[in-house]
Amino acid sequence: MLLLVIWEGTKKRIKEMFNKVDLSVSSYDTAWVAMVPSPNSGKEPFFPECVNWLLDNQLHDGSWGPPNLHQLLTKDALLSTLACILALKRWNIGEELIDRGLHFIESNLASATDGEQPSPVGFDIIFPSMIESAMNFDVTYKLSLTCRFGLVIGIIECFLSLLEGIGKSQDWEMVMKYQKKNGSLFNSPSTTAAAFTHLNNAGCLSYLRSLIEKFGSAVPTIYPLGNYARLSMVSSLESMGVDRHFRKEIRSVLDETYSSHPWGSMTLPNRQCWLQGDEDIFSDAGTCAMAFRLLRLHGYDVSADSFFNSLGGYLKDTGVALELFRASEVIIHPDESVLEKQHYWTSHFLKQELANNLTQAHKLNKHIDQVDDALRFPSYATLGRLSSRKAIKYYNTDSTKILKSSYRCSNVGNEDFLKLAVEDFNKCQSIHREELEYFSRWVVESRLDKLEFARQKQAYCYFSAAATIFPPELSDARISWAKNGVLTTVVDDFFDVGGSEEELVNLVQLIEKWDVNAKTDSCSEQVEIIFSAIKSTINEIGANAFPRQQRSVTNHVIEIWLDLVKSMLKEAQWLINNSAPALDEYMENAYVSFALGPIVLPALYLVGPKLSEEAVRSFEFHQLYKLMSTGGRLLNDMQTFKRESAEGKLNAVTLAMLHGNGSATDEETFSEMKSIIAIKRRELQRLVLQKDSLVPRACKDLFWNMCKIVHLFYAKHDGFTGMT
């Protein structure tokens, strides 16, 4: 009972976070706001509360910034401390604090030129420019700085050309073209404060006042951040497999994101168009990519051309590149070359980053493990629960990110997220272990282990079920998936090597007649074992599905199995008669004989929503099944081509080469089939994501999940046969 209370409390806190974004304050940005002079006299601060905050918040080592800052973020502390020194010096207060701050900078100055340390955005320009500003104070102060900053003089000289080109010729009127509706420049308090100091712009002042009103005497380094924070919550909760607890909140976030911006019809003559939204999703490449991926995967109609054409030049760091890479994988239309290009250059960049980090293991890069995983396992070749386990492993509760200064947002890195995900994962695992024990007993009780010709794949079959349909309440669907997985493997081996032609025909007839006596009507013990197991499993599925569907589905499941054994019999007869069908004829039969039908289709009745007879008989339903199975069959045939050719068996690759008059090489045939597989996969995902649908989304997801399974296990070899 206590655990349940804790569980519900964690969920409640997370739900509340959807309505509140918690940002840390920035000493750097607060210092810039503190430097804003009153327009009346110019001799006193416009925001004295910010000056007072600086006086009260110097750290014990003389720096300003977050306490307990990572040692590799020293540049951040240097920049923040120098900004605070400038602010205090501007108003001629806090001399003792200034001295302590200067001592900190002097002691850590070597970090300023350390290329291995992460740098705040624009550090190499801003830091030397601020030092130059500091040395423009009175002579005594200038001499003091010169003595203290012996090493700094060299740094300034290194950057003089850069400063003359940028720092001294700042055209604030030109910069104001990028002012947002909220009055800010780039949602940056420091940049907006600097602009107001030069121009006294009313919009800038309105933005700065709104910050003080909301945050008090210290401001964050970026505001607003609501869209990014909430989308990050959605992304994290989904990746860790606990999004089902927050469906209402997630739907609200995505609806708001979609309705706030004209995703589908937007045209962008230049990047300036991206800066017009309320929170400017489009002004940040990472947020934009995340929004696109989440919206598209939830079935919203979003156009890739509407924004990805404007993002190519904005690759800044590994995290942004990773978001762009993930978004570029969600290709569902045949003409999305912009996503293919995005995928090419982001994958190239990420591979370089990965290589660099292998030689610089000490470099602070929180994304590098995720990069390695993303490059090795495309989003269409993953297992849900395995991906969740990795996401839990990689999840970082330290939400520190770096812009012009470091900041934290509890909506992005939160211990409650991790706590809930771990508890949920362990809860599911406990149930799955019990089910696996039951499943193993069923194999023995059904005498399937007595069939010496059959591959023993019960662990694999249950694993694919548990990794795909993992919520505790979907036990019946998992068991159906796993049992039919074992049975289809047995039947495949039976038609392949284990049964005589008489036995094969007998099994087909038994399933066709159905109401028969397995012991007396079977021509062999092998047939009797197989048919009995199939019959009991189908009857069990029918009984479990009836309360959910409010109708009998047993006949449909029988029909699914009958289609399978008939297709397998046809392939066996082709082999017996030494026939070579046309490739189209082969594929029309082979997508059924690949045996995904009995695994996926019966489970659809057990995942929750009602699946009407109209939906089951619809073209959409058939297409979902055919696209999933065709892609799987081609993947299988590519990986088993050499073995099956040596055994004299039919194969799509063999037939393609045979009917191509021998003009196509193995490599050319494989390349063509890979293209066909990609087309089928994208079309399948488009149907799954389509909102206007007879088939419920929860059911369509099973087709896509099976597609991901076959892509994973046939990616480089025959993962099914090779897995024990």
Side-chain angles (χ1 to χ4, degrees), residues 42 78 100 211 213 257 637 653:
L78 287 172
R100 290 177 60 198
L211 288 176
E213 182 178 345
T257 302
D637 284 9
V653 178

Side-chain angles (χ1 to χ4, degrees), residues 232 235-236 239 286 288-294 296-297 308 318-331 339 342-343 346-347 350 366-375 377-380 387 390-391 394-395 685:
S232 292
S235 182
S236 295
S239 67
C288 186
M290 189 192 308
F292 170 80
R293 173 174 58 86
L294 293 173
R296 177 164 277 194
L297 290 177
F308 270 99
T318 308
V320 172
L322 187 57
E323 283 296 346
L324 291 168
F325 176 80
R326 288 168 173 164
S328 71
E329 290 187 304
V330 194
I331 301 175
L339 289 180
Q342 194 88 351
H343 187 269
T346 53
S347 61
L350 292 172
K366 300 175 183 177
H367 302 285
I368 209 64
D369 289 331
Q370 298 174 56
V371 168
D372 183 43
D373 194 59
L375 291 173
F377 301 104
S379 61
Y380 56 80
S387 297
K390 290 177 182 177
Y394 296 148
Y395 187 73
Q685 191 171 24

Side-chain angles (χ1 to χ4, degrees), residues 198-209:
H198 283 79
L199 300 177
N200 289 327
N201 179 271
C204 291
L205 178 58
S206 176
Y207 173 75
L208 295 174
R209 279 176 166 164

Side-chain angles (χ1 to χ4, degrees), residues 172-231:
W172 285 102
E173 293 294 342
M174 180 191 71
V175 172
M176 292 308 294
K177 294 178 181 180
Y178 296 94
Q179 187 175 29
K180 297 179 180 292
K181 291 180 180 179
N182 61 16
S184 77
L185 287 171
F186 312 107
N187 289 335
S188 168
S190 57
T191 304
T192 307
F196 177 71
T197 300
H198 283 79
L199 300 177
N200 289 327
N201 179 271
C204 291
L205 178 58
S206 176
Y207 173 75
L208 295 174
R209 279 176 166 164
S210 71
L211 288 176
I212 298 302
E213 182 178 345
K214 182 173 181 62
F215 295 99
S217 57
V219 301
T221 196
I222 183 171
Y223 179 81
L225 198 66
N227 268 324
Y228 169 76
R230 293 184 180 92
L231 289 169

Side-chain angles (χ1 to χ4, degrees), residues 509-569:
Q509 291 173 341
L510 290 174
I511 295 176
E512 196 166 27
K513 294 177 181 178
W514 193 250
D515 291 325
V516 295
N517 187 314
K519 289 188 177 295
T520 59
D521 293 335
S522 300
C523 69
S524 69
E525 183 182 12
Q526 289 190 144
V527 173
E528 187 264 324
I529 290 173
I530 296 171
F531 177 70
S532 296
I534 292 173
K535 186 171 185 177
S536 65
T537 299
I538 291 177
N539 286 335
E540 179 182 79
I541 292 169
N544 289 333
F546 188 84
R548 295 175 171 87
Q549 303 298 326
Q550 295 297 300
R551 64 186 179 90
S552 175
V553 301
T554 303
N555 287 339
H556 182 221
V557 183
I558 296 171
E559 180 185 321
I560 293 166
W561 264 101
L562 185 58
D563 287 343
L564 173 64
V565 293
K566 283 183 175 180
S567 69
M568 287 183 168
L569 180 60

Side-chain angles (χ1 to χ4, degrees), residues 461-616:
C461 293
Y462 181 78
F463 172 72
S464 68
T468 303
I469 316 169
F470 58 83
E473 65 272 16
L474 298 181
S475 177
D476 289 342
R478 278 192 297 277
I479 295 301
S480 167
W481 181 295
K483 285 185 175 181
N484 281 312
V486 166
L487 290 172
T488 53
T489 303
V490 169
V491 170
D492 182 51
D493 292 343
F494 184 60
F495 276 82
D496 202 17
V497 297
S500 64
E501 186 174 8
E502 178 190 5
E503 287 177 310
L504 305 186
V505 172
N506 182 223
L507 180 60
V508 174
Q509 291 173 341
L510 290 174
I511 295 176
E512 196 166 27
K513 294 177 181 178
W514 193 250
D515 291 325
V516 295
N517 187 314
K519 289 188 177 295
T520 59
D521 293 335
S522 300
C523 69
S524 69
E525 183 182 12
Q526 289 190 144
V527 173
E528 187 264 324
I529 290 173
I530 296 171
F531 177 70
S532 296
I534 292 173
K535 186 171 185 177
S536 65
T537 299
I538 291 177
N539 286 335
E540 179 182 79
I541 292 169
N544 289 333
F546 188 84
R548 295 175 171 87
Q549 303 298 326
Q550 295 297 300
R551 64 186 179 90
S552 175
V553 301
T554 303
N555 287 339
H556 182 221
V557 183
I558 296 171
E559 180 185 321
I560 293 166
W561 264 101
L562 185 58
D563 287 343
L564 173 64
V565 293
K566 283 183 175 180
S567 69
M568 287 183 168
L569 180 60
K570 179 180 284 190
E571 286 188 352
Q573 290 172 338
W574 281 337
L575 188 60
I576 292 170
N577 299 327
N578 199 28
S579 299
L583 180 59
D584 288 346
E585 181 185 3
Y586 167 80
M587 286 304 303
E588 193 61 29
N589 185 76
Y591 84 84
V592 180
S593 68
F594 190 53
L596 298 185
I599 300 173
V600 175
L601 303 185
L604 302 178
Y605 290 117
L606 302 169
V607 292
K610 285 188 177 182
L611 186 61
S612 67
E613 182 74 18
E614 180 187 10
V616 170

Side-chain angles (χ1 to χ4, degrees), residues 47-86:
F47 301 103
E49 56 267 64
C50 293
V51 178
N52 291 332
W53 187 90
L54 298 181
L55 293 171
D56 294 337
N57 285 275
Q58 187 179 43
L59 300 178
H60 65 86
D61 62 356
S63 70
W64 277 269
N68 303 316
L69 196 66
H70 195 286
Q71 62 180 0
L72 289 181
L73 294 177
T74 304
K75 288 183 182 180
D76 176 35
L78 287 172
L79 197 60
S80 294
T81 301
L82 185 52
C84 292
I85 289 172
L86 287 174

